[in-house]
Amino acid sequence: MTEEDIIELIKSQENAGMEALADKYGKLLSYIISGILGKRPDDIEECVNDTYLKIWRNVDNFDFSRASLTTYLKVIARNTAINRLRDVRRREEFCADGEFAQLLDSCADTADVEGELLKKERMGQINDFVRELPKKERELMLRRYFYLQSSKQIAFALGMTVNAVDTKLSRLRMKARDALLAPDT
């Protein structure tokens, strides 16, 4: 079944669309989410289900001209897993440090509007930098900093040595630093 067929079934709110989505992408989503959450099977399963729910609820906003279904799912899965990891860490901190740490966390998140705007601008610059990289370098950056894979996982997936991955990532970080910190001319 094609991505377009799956989306059409989900748009018409047929369960067959979600079943096809789960069959085709379930392992990929679990892989991405487990790379972020580690060995937390209950949280992984819940994140996968949350990803499906987000697709179900927001399928009308999906646009094939902006991204493929695979890319859309990867981004949703990654963001859902990162949010879950934050929640888990906050719960752990709350138990360890009490309510005060959680209160400071929530205040810090909402207090700096100017900082958020600068952060969005910087993220746009980073996205532009990564988009202009050659395919292999872009894949290294995305695997390490977007999917949060270890050097060992990247080396295995790309048929490289761990040392080669680390060296290439170090050079890419320097290249990014130079490109992002260079004054506009």
Side-chain angles (χ1 to χ4, degrees):
M1 186 174 289
T2 67
E3 290 183 344
E4 291 83 2
D5 294 336
I6 293 171
I7 290 296
E8 286 307 313
L9 285 172
I10 295 171
K11 281 184 178 181
S12 62
Q13 297 194 343
E14 295 189 30
N15 288 337
M18 292 306 292
E19 290 171 9
L21 185 77
D23 288 343
K24 189 168 184 174
Y25 299 104
K27 289 182 181 179
L28 173 66
L29 298 178
S30 293
Y31 176 76
I32 291 168
I33 291 168
S34 65
I36 295 169
L37 293 178
K39 296 185 188 238
R40 293 184 168 105
D42 293 338
D43 288 323
I44 293 168
E45 182 179 345
E46 196 166 332
C47 277
V48 170
N49 290 332
D50 287 348
T51 301
Y52 293 146
L53 182 61
K54 288 176 183 179
I55 292 293
W56 181 262
R57 288 184 176 165
N58 299 302
V59 70
D60 291 328
N61 298 331
F62 179 72
D63 181 6
F64 277 106
S65 68
R66 294 184 67 202
S68 67
L69 179 58
T70 306
T71 301
Y72 189 63
L73 286 169
K74 287 177 182 179
V75 170
I76 292 173
R78 174 193 176 268
N79 292 340
T80 302
I82 288 172
N83 288 337
R84 174 60 51 112
L85 187 60
R86 285 182 189 142
D87 290 344
V88 167
R89 286 182 177 159
R90 283 188 181 137
R91 278 195 311 256
E92 290 169 355
E93 286 176 13
F94 178 74
C95 292
D97 298 334
E99 289 181 42
F100 188 69
Q102 188 176 22
L103 179 62
L104 288 175
D105 250 4
S106 65
C107 290
D109 288 345
T110 59
D112 189 9
V113 175
E114 183 181 353
E116 284 298 314
L117 289 173
L118 291 172
K119 183 177 171 183
K120 283 184 180 182
E121 183 180 324
R122 177 60 81 192
M123 287 306 297
Q125 292 170 336
I126 292 170
N127 285 336
D128 290 343
F129 170 78
V130 172
R131 198 174 296 118
E132 292 171 6
L133 289 172
K135 185 177 180 179
K136 189 167 184 174
E137 291 180 353
R138 183 174 45 240
E139 185 170 1
L140 279 167
M141 293 287 282
L142 290 174
R143 284 180 176 273
R144 180 68 184 116
Y145 301 109
F146 187 80
Y147 296 119
L148 306 176
Q149 293 180 342
S150 69
S151 296
K152 186 176 179 179
Q153 289 172 313
I154 296 169
F156 179 76
L158 299 180
M160 300 171 67
T161 66
V162 173
N163 190 39
V165 168
D166 290 338
T167 300
K168 192 70 173 166
L169 285 170
S170 175
R171 289 179 183 156
L172 284 168
R173 282 191 304 271
M174 286 188 285
K175 185 176 177 180
R177 184 190 65 223
D178 293 343
L180 297 171
L181 296 179
D184 294 331
T185 54

